[in-house]
Amino acid sequence: MNWIDVNESLPETGIDSVYGSVWVLVSYVFEGKPYNTLGKYIKTPKPYWINVHRDRLENITHWTPLPEPPSNFSGVDPFELDLLTKV
């Protein structure tokens, strides 16, 4: 896993929506402690990051693409498979 500094590069936008990137793993600092979560970069005139709950994220320092999902989902309900592959 290679973390990318947000000062060097940001996720490509326009993939998942007109303004947003795909979901990526982000690293951020909150109250002096580092945390990781899923995030999406939204490129508007005032760009920002959101989490899966659509809350804005602050102090993002790094990001990395999510790994590809496993290729074998044998025994998984097709509806659940659809949800698992669209996170």
Side-chain angles (χ1 to χ4, degrees), residues 40-51:
K40 183 183 277 195
Y41 176 68
I42 309 297
K43 186 178 180 181
T44 60
K46 292 186 178 182
Y48 59 97
W49 291 85
I50 58 171
N51 65 16

Side-chain angles (χ1 to χ4, degrees), residues 35-69:
Y35 294 92
N36 297 326
T37 191
L38 288 178
K40 183 183 277 195
Y41 176 68
I42 309 297
K43 186 178 180 181
T44 60
K46 292 186 178 182
Y48 59 97
W49 291 85
I50 58 171
N51 65 16
V52 294
H53 304 290
R54 303 283 185 215
D55 297 323
R56 288 192 183 210
L57 294 169
E58 303 290 332
N59 303 318
I60 304 296
T61 62
H62 293 78
W63 67 276
T64 190
L66 294 174
E68 290 295 319

Side-chain angles (χ1 to χ4, degrees), residues 22-43:
V22 295
W23 291 103
V24 296
L25 186 60
V26 297
S27 184
Y28 66 101
V29 177
F30 179 72
E31 294 184 354
K33 296 180 181 177
Y35 294 92
N36 297 326
T37 191
L38 288 178
K40 183 183 277 195
Y41 176 68
I42 309 297
K43 186 178 180 181

